[in-house]
Amino acid sequence: MTIADLDSGQRATIKRIDLSHPSSFRVIEYGFTPGQEIEIINKSIFNDPLAVSLRGALIAIRRNDARCIEVML
Amino acid sequence: MSIKKPQEPLIILVGPPNSGKTTLFNFLSGKKYKTVNYPGATIEYSITKFLNHFDITGNLMDSPGIVSMVPNSPDEKVTVENLIEHPEYGKPSVLVVTIDASQFSRHLLLAKQIINCGFNVIVALTMNDILEDKNLTINTDTLSDKLKCKVIKVDPRTGTGILELISEIKYTLKQERGSNINHIAFEEADIISIYKDIEEIENTVLHHTNVKKSDLENANMGLFIKGETKSLNRPDNLTMKIDSILLHKYWGIFIFASVMGVLFASIFWIASPLMELVDSGFRYLSDLIVSGHNHHWFSDLLSSGIIGGAGAVMVFLPQILILFFILGLLEDSGYLARGAMLIDKPLSKLGLNGRSFVPMLSGFACAIPAIMAARTITNKKERILTIFIIPLMSCSARLPVYGLLLTFLLPGKFLISGIILSLIYLFGILTSFVVSSVINKYQKTFIKVEDNSSFIMELPVYRIPKIGNVFKNTYDNAYQYIRKAGPTILIFSVILWALTYFPNNNPEIKNSDKMTTEQITKLIDAERISGSYASELGKFIEPVMKPLGLDWRVGVSLIATFAAREIFVSSMALIFKITDTDDNLNESLISAMRQARIGESNKPMFTTSTIAGLIIFFVFALQCISTIAITKKETGGWRIPILQLFIYSGLAYFFAFVVVNGLQFLGVN
């Protein structure tokens, strides 16, 4: 399960980052690292991009980029 | 070998976007600064001296916001390289890293990377009030120990902590510690392990503020916080409340469209009286020179070539100022990032990015600042694609041209003209979508860049915009426009002047007895241009104009528009020998156009079909030498601008041909 599969308002903990995904480096730089708690705050029209609460900040991220962030509920 | 002067120490402000860097820079510099280029790059940065009362001799430099020391775009690469050693100002003595306290763990990544590289670092912790609103605070002493560098809480809006920061900068400068700076290539694993460190640091330095009971309870609370920090540190509450409306799944995009509609309208409505003012000012100046020195070629060069050219540059300044002022307000309030998020999905379908939106919107004022604004797009393919379609946004220089042509087509019918004008804008936008998706589909052929498309950006906390920052941003953009577009337009304006002035620079006028001096002057101008190099050039390209139902006279005007599109109107007036004063220039030009015949025949040249063809021509054609110059600069080569020139000129010609001949085939003249 990845962040892209979550609904608005759902919380989860990051399990691992898929390093084969081309966006993985950028995602890690923005602070999506294993063990962090995240929450889906908003979804834009067409459900993409997502606004995610992470480390006290709101991060907008495309679903496609979010697919490399594996989470557990 | 040149002997290097002993340089003043360099102090650089570094920080992630939205970390309060610019506000701090303004406070330290007193807003007096100059904007300079990073050598060999498109990035602008501000450099200044410290305000006198801080008593620091040294250069203070602001740098573009970066998320990490690993560059993600060509601009970021230059930023990082210049932190290590600047070609002109040398190695920095001190790096002041700004960190948003409420974004502590994310922003600390950059600080940790910079410290690891071996710079002399002072950390300036900003936005502490936002963190305090969440009942959290950071223990700076512990943080200083952990990071092995000084950490100071500052608030550049009130001046809190600034003196401490200044004395720390002085102290570091006095130590003259030779810095041993290494460029480290951080890998994914390094970043993750830095974040692991940061999480440990966060657990020790981040505290609850409303715990002020006994030590025992305090200790208990500390334990409690250790486990719960992450969920305690949620995004700003007010921001999330506002976002539940502004980022609402359905209303969000509606609100965004309204905001942009208002912005768009104000670019035109507020700017138009100011533009007229600038225009008449330059015209007055130009008349003043001509009346002083009658018909000497030099006075004509001054008035038509140089002052006219300068006027063509300055006339767009009001629009650019208003556009960047409002965009600055939206950006500083935090809304622009939301806009980019809302529009990202539709734009990504076209191979663009949410960040493409602002440059595209700016394109309606002027393509030059718009193309420069595309720098914020980190993905190279998306940046080039955005730059590629910007010329299709109907820039304000086309407005006087459409104005003339529509008045010819529909005299007195303002409502219908207005509707058609909107349709022309819409047509430009729709075409840009088509061009974008086609180029995107064949990107390997056209752009030759393959880059992973991504959209990840921080949505900053909503704040009241800081007017100082907004003014600085507006000024920077206006300055760049004048410096980049100015010389090109000016030079071309002089070349075009020479083409229309020589060799027949002193024509004889017969039967001039019954005419006023003014009419004679205009007639001389008109005679001169009909015997000029420009008219020869026009006659040379006449075979190209014929299929569009037009002759060399329009051809000359179209060549003249390469300096600036709005020159079309004045150049047509010259060629059609309009001897009226400027006030009813449009009117007399239109009646002259109605009488114009093709060659020796009796066929009128300007008909519904040829005018419609001309309008279509202006929608597509890339007739702007400044746009070509700036595109070459921003894309780093001639490939893209030349492609644009060929594709857009080809489309312009093809569609104009289809429209003219199609309408005539249908019986519309």
Side-chain angles (χ1 to χ4, degrees):
Chain A
M1 183 183 236
T2 70
I3 288 190
D5 305 316
L6 298 177
D7 289 326
S8 269
Q10 248 186 320
R11 292 184 184 200
T13 307
I14 299 173
K15 201 164 72 183
R16 62 179 283 269
I17 306 294
D18 174 9
L19 294 182
S20 64
H21 193 286
S23 298
S24 61
F25 196 85
R26 202 68 183 156
V27 160
I28 293 168
E29 279 186 333
Y30 268 82
F32 290 95
T33 55
Q36 284 296 314
E37 264 190 38
I38 56 100
E39 181 184 340
I40 308 291
I41 303 293
N42 293 87
K43 286 185 179 185
S44 185
I45 197 163
F46 312 119
N47 288 323
D48 192 11
L50 319 165
V52 183
S53 152
L54 167 78
R55 296 175 183 264
L58 275 177
I59 310 288
I61 181 168
R62 255 188 211 166
R63 291 181 79 84
N64 186 36
D65 300 318
R67 287 212 174 87
C68 71
I69 309 165
E70 292 174 19
V71 291
M72 50 193 175
L73 293 176
Chain B
M1 210 181 100
S2 66
I3 299 160
K4 254 193 169 176
K5 281 182 287 182
Q7 274 177 333
E8 289 185 345
L10 176 65
I11 295 104
I12 308 183
L13 291 182
V14 200
N18 313 310
S19 60
K21 196 166 49 63
T22 305
T23 317
L24 181 60
F25 179 81
N26 285 351
F27 192 92
L28 295 175
S29 64
K31 290 170 193 155
K32 276 187 195 146
Y33 61 92
K34 58 175 181 172
T35 312
V36 233
N37 255 77
Y38 275 121
T42 52
I43 316 167
E44 311 273 328
Y45 63 96
S46 309
I47 191 145
T48 187
K49 302 282 178 195
F50 285 87
L51 279 178
N52 282 336
H53 63 261
F54 292 134
D55 191 31
I56 295 181
T57 326
N59 293 307
L60 177 67
M61 188 187 284
D62 196 5
S63 67
I66 47 173
V67 172
S68 127
M69 285 292 275
V70 184
N72 192 42
S73 72
D75 281 8
E76 286 181 7
K77 189 164 182 274
V78 180
T79 305
V80 171
E81 279 166 4
N82 283 280
L83 285 181
I84 292 162
E85 178 153 19
H86 189 277
E88 195 180 331
Y89 294 92
K91 289 183 179 174
S93 306
V94 183
L95 252 56
V96 177
V97 184
T98 51
I99 288 182
D100 175 348
S102 69
Q103 301 279 323
F104 177 71
S105 72
R106 291 184 49 250
H107 286 189
L108 206 55
L109 171 70
L110 179 66
K112 287 275 284 179
Q113 285 179 325
I114 290 174
I115 293 165
N116 288 357
C117 287
F119 291 97
N120 295 327
V121 177
I122 301 170
V123 171
L125 219 49
T126 61
M127 327 248 180
N128 297 286
D129 49 333
I130 296 175
L131 192 67
E132 274 157 30
D133 286 347
K134 300 184 200 172
N135 294 323
L136 292 169
T137 186
I138 288 170
N139 184 332
T140 48
D141 291 338
T142 321
L143 185 56
S144 292
D145 286 348
K146 292 275 176 196
L147 295 178
K148 298 181 187 71
C149 80
K150 188 74 182 172
V151 180
I152 300 161
K153 284 186 186 175
V154 297
D155 187 346
R157 286 170 299 181
T158 58
T160 315
I162 296 290
L163 286 180
E164 201 188 336
L165 176 65
I166 290 291
S167 66
E168 190 57 34
I169 294 174
K170 283 184 194 163
Y171 176 73
T172 315
L173 289 177
K174 241 181 248 159
Q175 282 190 316
E176 289 177 5
R177 228 185 305 161
S179 47
N180 182 20
I181 303 162
N182 301 303
H183 193 204
I184 302 175
F186 294 93
E187 305 276 335
E188 276 138 337
D190 301 325
I191 309 271
I192 292 180
S193 95
I194 291 176
Y195 267 122
K196 280 260 168 352
D197 288 350
I198 290 172
E199 281 153 27
E200 267 172 42
I201 294 171
E202 191 179 21
N203 282 338
T204 25
V205 301
L206 200 62
H207 294 289
H208 245 290
T209 42
N210 50 5
V211 186
K212 280 176 187 165
K213 293 172 190 167
S214 70
D215 286 351
L216 189 68
E217 270 176 301
N218 228 336
N220 275 336
M221 216 50 192
L223 281 172
F224 165 71
I225 290 167
K226 260 179 200 168
E228 295 285 317
T229 308
K230 288 162 208 152
S231 49
L232 276 176
N233 192 7
R234 295 195 74 217
D236 178 59
N237 249 331
L238 181 64
T239 295
M240 290 210 288
K241 268 183 200 150
I242 300 174
D243 271 342
S244 67
I245 302 164
L246 295 186
L247 283 185
H248 187 272
K249 209 168 160 183
Y250 306 114
W251 308 337
I253 195 94
F254 177 74
I255 295 170
F256 179 65
S258 318
V259 170
M260 289 304 136
V262 170
L263 166 62
F264 192 66
S266 54
I267 299 178
F268 292 100
W269 290 337
I270 307 176
S272 92
L274 293 169
M275 289 171 81
E276 270 167 39
L277 202 71
V278 174
D279 194 39
S280 54
F282 274 94
R283 215 177 282 168
Y284 172 78
L285 212 65
S286 147
D287 287 348
L288 208 67
I289 286 175
V290 175
S291 65
H293 312 270
N294 226 358
H295 304 307
H296 189 262
W297 69 266
F298 186 71
S299 73
D300 211 82
L301 166 67
L302 266 184
S303 73
S304 303
I306 292 173
I307 294 177
V313 179
M314 299 305 282
V315 76
F316 296 114
L317 202 56
Q319 281 194 331
I320 286 168
L321 288 173
I322 291 167
L323 173 76
F324 282 102
F325 182 75
I326 300 179
L327 279 182
L329 286 179
L330 290 175
E331 167 137 50
D332 218 45
S333 69
Y335 185 63
L336 217 49
R338 270 88 183 169
M341 172 181 165
L342 288 168
I343 204 80
D344 178 67
K345 180 74 181 179
L347 289 182
S348 72
K349 293 275 177 214
L350 305 168
L352 301 166
N353 189 293
R355 289 182 170 97
S356 308
F357 185 77
V358 168
M360 284 165 69
L361 187 82
S362 313
F364 287 103
C366 175
I368 291 143
I371 288 168
M372 294 191 299
R375 287 175 197 163
T376 51
I377 306 166
T378 48
N379 177 292
K380 193 169 182 191
K381 181 209 86 185
E382 288 166 342
R383 184 168 65 240
I384 290 181
L385 204 51
T386 307
I387 290 174
F388 206 96
I389 61 163
I390 281 173
L392 289 172
M393 307 294 131
S394 190
C395 72
S396 52
R398 277 176 253 199
L399 212 51
V401 179
Y402 293 145
L404 175 77
L405 298 176
L406 286 175
T407 322
F408 181 92
L409 272 189
L410 306 153
K413 291 177 187 159
F414 297 114
L415 185 67
I416 302 177
S417 302
I419 293 170
I420 293 186
L421 189 63
S422 325
L423 290 177
I424 293 172
Y425 273 86
L426 200 66
F427 185 60
I429 298 168
L430 292 177
T431 314
S432 78
F433 291 167
V434 175
V435 169
S436 178
S437 24
V438 170
I439 302 263
N440 185 43
K441 196 163 180 198
Y442 301 101
Q443 52 175 291
K444 278 176 217 153
T445 325
F446 288 109
I447 309 183
K448 292 197 165 167
V449 187
E450 269 188 284
D451 209 344
N452 167 46
S453 168
S454 73
F455 181 83
I456 310 172
M457 81 192 287
E458 183 188 327
L459 301 175
V461 171
Y462 284 111
R463 280 173 306 183
I464 308 275
K466 279 174 240 57
I467 288 298
N469 290 2
V470 177
F471 275 127
K472 180 177 185 284
N473 184 46
T474 309
Y475 171 84
D476 283 349
N477 276 294
Y479 176 80
Q480 284 184 40
Y481 161 72
I482 292 175
R483 219 189 50 189
K484 296 262 165 70
T488 326
I489 297 183
L490 208 60
I491 289 167
F492 257 77
S493 165
V494 171
I495 292 174
L496 280 169
W497 169 83
L499 284 177
T500 50
Y501 199 85
F502 296 111
N504 188 21
N505 53 337
N506 221 348
E508 262 181 55
I509 302 294
K510 289 164 194 159
N511 311 324
S512 59
D513 314 335
K514 288 174 196 158
M515 288 189 252
T516 64
T517 346
E518 190 161 357
Q519 280 176 313
I520 294 174
T521 316
K522 298 272 177 185
L523 208 58
I524 289 175
D525 288 347
E527 282 299 324
R528 189 183 292 132
I529 197 168
S530 62
S532 69
Y533 292 124
S535 81
E536 273 172 47
L537 204 61
K539 280 164 192 155
F540 179 72
I541 63 161
E542 193 168 63
V544 184
M545 302 307 299
K546 265 220 169 103
L548 303 184
L550 302 166
D551 69 5
W552 67 272
R553 290 174 287 190
V554 183
V556 175
S557 303
L558 288 181
I559 291 172
T561 51
F562 270 97
R565 288 182 178 93
E566 78 278 12
I567 286 179
F568 184 75
V569 179
S570 56
S571 146
M572 287 279 281
L574 256 185
I575 291 169
F576 283 94
K577 306 185 184 180
I578 304 303
T579 50
D580 266 309
T581 46
D582 291 326
D583 295 335
N584 40 20
L585 183 135
N586 256 10
E587 227 168 86
S588 347
L589 178 54
I590 282 169
S591 63
M593 281 165 68
R594 288 199 196 287
Q595 281 150 24
R597 295 287 178 271
I598 295 179
E600 304 295 310
S601 74
N602 218 4
K603 250 177 83 188
M605 178 158 68
F606 296 103
T607 58
T608 307
S609 60
T610 56
I611 292 285
L614 264 179
I615 290 177
I616 291 292
F617 188 86
F618 270 93
V619 169
F620 290 103
L622 182 64
Q623 285 158 299
C624 178
I625 198 74
S626 314
T627 304
I628 296 171
I630 204 95
T631 304
K632 188 239 158 193
K633 201 161 190 177
E634 296 285 315
T635 57
W638 282 110
R639 191 187 154 72
I640 299 297
I642 287 175
L643 258 178
Q644 278 176 309
L645 189 63
F646 276 102
I647 291 177
Y648 291 143
S649 306
L651 284 177
Y653 191 79
F654 174 74
F655 279 106
F657 179 82
V658 168
V659 165
V660 171
N661 293 284
L663 282 175
Q664 281 172 356
F665 181 75
L666 293 174
V668 183
N669 263 325

